[in-house]
């Protein structure tokens, strides 16, 4: 029987030395052996049952992208109407205070998600986005705008880690990668939506207020639709709500597959699930290695230069004679195209392969841009290198380095620490993001584009090596299988 085979394999892998995360090759071998030991006659559950729940969750990712881009086009109009035009510090605060709020929301996300559940956390993340956007839309002064942006940032920090958790925990294993790519696609659509909504801002006075008001509608839809979505069965099981967890599995996977899923949950030792997870345990305890891997992936994602590319794209395209509006569209299309392609490849090639070749392609793209900044090529050649390198960078980023970390980390974190470990790792993302945005223009001025792009290429190369040595493949594996292979020794 299937369960009998699994019990044998489960007990065998609880004795393996790979549980200290010290040898990822051994972990991958364990995962492959576990997978081979299962009865492959078991059919996959229907993906249609869980899809509506995943789509609702990705509204938070759409809002994430929208609010990151909503002030880009209207910033000049906002500064004129609110009386701080020409004050670069104030303009910078309108953009960056959102990152401060995001860090606060992100740090709290794990504890909130574990405390009240995934569904209510989505509703809580929608609330400050509605309040903050309304304040920004209605304000007549800089202070009101900043407070509104801070509220929105708190919701932005709360949403992405919980979206990654939820999608990972409610998706069938065979489409979990595909569903995870929806998060990146939704973020791209949000960025493009903000660009589209902001088009009339220069022609219509006060249109920037409409840009903020519009965002309250998807936030309200997220809060209302979550009432009808399934709660994470993994969270319910941790709370001791066994019958409710099984009922939610039936909604997400079907009746027959729910029995199998509950059997898997019961096989992992969760005797310490009721204990609180302390920050010291994540940073210094038995799970510190896997948390280090997650934090490093997010740090390298930001140090690769992706946000610097977004900040500097208009200038590069302008030097090639391309208008800024068209430049933003080109970047958006490259980002969306890569995200859609990754959706089709995530469950075929696997997370590690996409991540490896994504960082490799980004390193090549940065080398192209560094070459374009030298005197070795003509002006026309430099434009081709710069524009082509930038589009290639965004495309390859969206293929793996963008969507994979947010999907991979909830997969490799044990259930007990999953939410709080994601909060820690995503906080690293926001801190690095803030400093890249703060220092990029100054470094560009002091170092020049050639040296700066070379530094980004170096970070991408470091990421290639790090992924090869430390990242484990999780394609097609259930969360139970992954947890058994990665379970650290006591």
């Amino acid at each position: 029987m299937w369960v009998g085979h699994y019990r044998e394999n489960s007990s065998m892998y609880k004795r393996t030395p790979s549980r200290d995360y010290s040898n990822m090759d051994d972990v991958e071998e364990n995962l492959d052996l576990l997978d081979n030991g299962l009865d492959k006659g078991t059919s996959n559950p229907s993906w249609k049952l869980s899809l509506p729940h995943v789509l609702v969750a990705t509204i938070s990712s759409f809002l994430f992208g929208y609010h990151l881009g909503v002030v880009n086009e209207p910033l000049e109009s906002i500064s004129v109407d609110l009386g701080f035009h020409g004050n670069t510090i104030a303009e910078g605060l309108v953009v960056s205070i959102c990152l401060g709020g995001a860090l606060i929301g992100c740090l709290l996300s794990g504890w909130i998600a574990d405390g009240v559940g995934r569904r209510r956390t989505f509703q809580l993340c929608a609330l400050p986005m509605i309040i903050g956007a309304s304040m920004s839309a209605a304000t007549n002064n800089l202070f009101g705008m900043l407070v509104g942006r801070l509220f929105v940032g708190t919701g932005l920090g709360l949403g992405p880690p919980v979206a990654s958790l939820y999608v990972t925990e409610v998706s069938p294993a065979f489409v979990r990668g595909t569903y995870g790519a929806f998060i990146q696609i939704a973020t791209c659509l949000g960025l493009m939506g903000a660009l589209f909504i902001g088009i009339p801002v220069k022609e219509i006075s006060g249109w920037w207020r409409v840009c903020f008001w519009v965002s309250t509608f998807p936030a309200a839809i997220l809060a209302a639709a979550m009432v009808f979505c399934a709660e994470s069965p993994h969270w319910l099981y941790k709370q001791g709500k066994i019958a409710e967890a099984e009922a939610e599995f039936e909604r997400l996977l079907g009746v027959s597959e729910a029995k199998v899923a509950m059997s898997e949950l019961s096989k992992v030792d969760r005797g310490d699930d009721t204990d609180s997870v302390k920050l010291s345990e994540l940073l210094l305890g038995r799970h510190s290695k896997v948390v280090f891997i997650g934090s490093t992936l997010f740090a390298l994602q930001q140090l690769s230069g992706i946000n610097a590319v977004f900040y500097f794209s208009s200038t590069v395209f302008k030097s090639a004679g391309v208008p800024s509006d068209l430049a933003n569209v080109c970047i958006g299309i490259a980002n969306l195209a890569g995200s859609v392609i990754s959706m089709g490849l995530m469950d075929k090639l696997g997370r590690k392969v996409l991540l490896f070749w994504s960082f490799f392609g980004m390193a090549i793209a940065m080398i192209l841009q560094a070459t374009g900044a030298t005197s070795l090529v003509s002006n026309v050649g430099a434009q081709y290198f710069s524009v082509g390198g930038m589009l290639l960078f965004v495309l390859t980023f969206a293929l793996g380095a963008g969507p994979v970390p947010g999907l991979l980390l909830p997969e490799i974190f044990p259930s007990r620490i999953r939410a709080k470990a994601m909060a820690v790792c995503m906080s690293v993302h926001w801190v690095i993001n803030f400093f890249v945005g703060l220092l990029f223009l100054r470094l560009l001025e002091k170092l020049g584009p050639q040296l700066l792009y070379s530094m980004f290429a170096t970070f991408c190369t470091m990421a290639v090596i790090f992924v090869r040595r430390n990242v484990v493949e999780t394609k097609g594996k259930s969360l139970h299988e992954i947890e058994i292979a990665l379970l650290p020794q006591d």
Side-chain angles (χ1 to χ4, degrees):
M1 294 294 292
W2 188 93
V3 174
H5 285 309
Y6 203 96
R7 185 176 291 112
E8 293 173 5
N9 283 295
S10 175
S11 62
M12 177 176 66
Y13 286 101
K14 287 186 179 181
R15 296 192 297 269
T16 61
S18 64
R19 294 177 291 170
D20 63 354
Y21 312 109
S22 60
N23 192 327
M24 287 299 165
D25 290 333
D26 288 346
V27 171
E28 288 192 328
E29 183 180 351
N30 286 346
L31 281 169
D32 291 338
L33 289 171
L34 260 174
D35 194 40
N36 293 335
L38 299 178
D39 181 1
K40 291 302 180 180
T42 304
S43 59
N44 287 322
S46 173
W47 54 269
K48 297 178 182 178
L49 295 175
S50 54
L51 180 60
H53 307 270
V54 170
L55 292 178
V56 171
T58 56
I59 295 175
S60 65
S61 301
F62 174 87
L63 287 163
F64 174 74
Y66 185 90
H67 280 293
L68 285 183
V70 71
V71 297
N72 288 352
E73 287 295 323
L75 184 58
E76 184 177 353
S77 299
I78 293 171
S79 64
V80 171
D81 289 354
L82 299 186
F84 59 91
H85 183 63
N87 186 338
T88 55
I89 294 178
E91 291 177 354
L93 278 174
V94 170
V95 176
S96 62
I97 197 170
C98 214
L99 300 180
L103 178 60
I104 296 171
C106 187
L107 285 170
L108 298 174
S109 64
W111 281 261
I112 294 174
D114 275 347
V116 303
R118 311 324 190 209
R119 285 195 312 172
R120 289 181 182 175
T121 305
F122 276 117
Q123 293 172 320
L124 287 175
C125 96
L127 186 61
M129 284 196 271
I130 294 172
I131 295 173
S134 300
M135 291 179 66
S136 295
T139 189
N140 290 312
N141 54 63
L142 174 61
F143 179 77
M145 174 62 68
L146 293 179
V147 173
R149 292 289 286 167
L150 183 66
F151 267 87
V152 166
T154 305
L156 293 188
L158 197 56
V162 179
S164 297
L165 285 173
Y166 186 79
V167 171
T168 298
E169 292 177 342
V170 305
S171 302
F174 76 104
V175 291
R176 195 168 57 234
T178 302
Y179 283 177
F182 285 173
I183 294 175
Q184 178 74 5
I185 292 173
T187 303
C188 294
L189 292 176
L191 285 164
M192 296 179 74
L195 174 66
F196 177 76
I197 293 294
I199 289 176
V201 74
K202 294 179 181 178
E203 285 75 31
I204 303 177
S205 177
W207 183 259
W208 60 268
R209 298 184 186 273
V210 175
C211 297
F212 286 110
W213 282 123
V214 164
S215 69
T216 62
F217 292 101
I221 292 171
L222 173 64
M226 265 296 152
V227 174
F228 305 100
C229 289
E231 180 55 89
S232 165
H234 294 260
W235 179 79
L236 290 170
Y237 189 90
K238 286 174 62 179
Q239 304 304 306
K241 301 177 180 179
I242 311 301
E244 293 179 38
E246 185 170 358
E248 297 293 42
F249 266 134
E250 290 177 0
R251 290 180 65 188
L252 295 165
L253 306 178
V255 176
S256 60
E257 293 295 332
K259 301 293 183 183
V260 175
M262 288 300 296
S263 176
E264 288 191 358
L265 274 181
S266 67
K267 288 187 179 70
V268 177
D269 182 12
R270 300 178 188 274
D272 58 353
D273 274 0
T274 56
D275 298 340
S276 61
V277 179
K278 298 179 179 178
L279 189 61
S280 59
E281 180 182 343
L282 299 178
L283 301 180
L284 303 173
R286 58 178 181 155
H287 298 296
S288 59
K289 178 65 182 294
V290 75
V291 173
F292 169 76
I293 291 172
S295 300
T296 304
L297 278 179
F298 272 121
L300 289 171
Q301 181 196 63
Q302 295 304 305
L303 291 172
S304 69
I306 181 60
N307 284 313
V309 165
F310 283 132
Y311 300 150
F312 198 49
S313 60
S314 296
T315 304
V316 172
F317 277 87
K318 188 176 180 180
S319 67
V322 180
S324 61
D325 290 345
L326 182 58
N328 291 332
V329 171
C330 291
I331 291 294
I333 291 174
N335 199 6
L336 182 60
S339 301
V340 172
I341 294 170
S342 75
M343 180 179 68
L345 298 178
M346 196 78 74
D347 287 311
K348 290 183 173 65
L349 297 181
R351 287 60 151 159
K352 184 173 183 177
V353 172
L354 284 181
L355 201 56
F356 180 90
W357 289 108
S358 173
F359 277 119
F360 184 84
M362 290 159 65
I364 298 299
M366 276 298 177
I367 292 172
L368 289 177
Q369 292 185 78
T371 303
T374 67
S375 58
L376 300 176
V377 293
S378 63
N379 289 336
V380 175
Q383 292 174 3
Y384 281 115
F385 275 112
S386 298
V387 173
M390 186 163 287
L391 291 176
L392 177 63
F393 184 89
V394 173
L395 177 67
T396 52
F397 171 85
L399 282 172
V404 171
L407 168 67
L408 178 70
L409 300 191
E411 292 180 323
I412 65 174
F413 291 145
S415 176
R416 177 173 175 266
I417 68 164
R418 186 174 293 139
K420 296 179 178 66
M422 276 298 294
V424 170
C425 295
M426 284 292 292
S427 298
V428 172
H429 164 277
W430 284 112
V431 170
I432 301 294
N433 189 346
F434 173 78
F435 281 107
V436 169
L438 181 68
L439 299 175
F440 173 69
L441 290 178
R442 183 179 296 272
L443 289 173
L444 184 66
E445 179 183 344
K446 297 292 184 182
L447 304 178
Q450 181 184 355
L451 183 55
L452 190 57
Y453 285 144
S454 298
M455 289 173 59
F456 288 143
T458 301
F459 280 119
C460 291
T461 304
M462 291 170 60
V464 170
I465 298 171
F466 183 83
V467 169
R468 173 65 186 86
R469 292 183 176 180
N470 295 282
V471 173
V472 61
E473 182 55 70
T474 59
K475 176 188 68 173
K477 308 296 189 299
S478 71
L479 297 181
H480 170 60
E481 293 172 51
I482 298 167
E483 186 162 347
I484 286 176
L486 289 173
L487 191 66
Q489 292 174 332
D490 294 324

